[in-house]
Amino acid sequence: MKNKKQGNNWTAYYDNDTKRYFAEIMYTSREGREQYDYEITQDIYARLGTFSDDVHNERLIKTGKSVYSFENTMYGTLGPERTVWDEEANETMNKCVKKNND
């Protein structure tokens, strides 16, 4: 199984050590940056990349469990700049991302 899948604004990861799946959606523009991280299921991971439009992939990712969000745009945010919903999942995802990018 592939350990990483990518689209224009999203990346999904499979962690062999923990047997868990994660995905991040990131938007960067001159107005600022937004990042949303999710813990996803094996089924969601398997379906990612099968759509011709990345909007459908992003919608599918958003059905997963929110782990982390970061919003820093010139338009402001609706809440805190950073929110972590699940510390353990966020830490595990960060380790998985680092391992896949090394």
Side-chain angles (χ1 to χ4, degrees):
M1 172 181 287
K2 287 173 49 175
N3 290 342
K4 184 176 178 180
K5 293 183 177 184
Q6 270 184 281
N8 288 328
N9 295 321
W10 62 271
T11 307
Y13 304 91
Y14 171 65
D15 185 3
N16 284 324
D17 297 334
T18 62
K19 309 293 188 231
R20 293 167 78 178
Y21 300 85
F22 300 97
E24 64 184 359
I25 300 172
M26 191 175 307
Y27 307 107
T28 305
S29 68
R30 66 177 181 229
E31 286 89 23
R33 190 182 115 205
E34 299 174 51
Q35 178 180 341
Y36 307 96
D37 297 347
Y38 298 87
E39 184 166 6
I40 59 175
T41 64
Q42 180 180 4
D43 180 54
I44 291 172
Y45 186 85
R47 292 176 56 201
L48 287 172
T50 62
F51 303 103
S52 59
D53 186 347
D54 268 340
V55 171
H56 297 297
N57 290 301
E58 291 174 25
R59 284 185 187 143
L60 182 61
I61 289 170
K62 289 178 182 179
T63 64
K65 177 181 150 191
S66 293
V67 173
Y68 170 87
S69 74
F70 171 82
E71 297 177 357
N72 187 358
T73 66
M74 65 186 278
Y75 304 112
T77 62
L78 298 175
E81 185 176 289
R82 297 175 197 272
T83 303
V84 179
W85 285 277
D86 186 332
E87 290 281 350
E88 186 274 334
N90 184 50
E91 185 176 311
T92 303
M93 180 178 170
N94 288 333
K95 288 177 184 175
C96 178
V97 170
K98 184 176 178 356
K99 188 174 23 177
N100 277 289
N101 290 335
D102 285 344

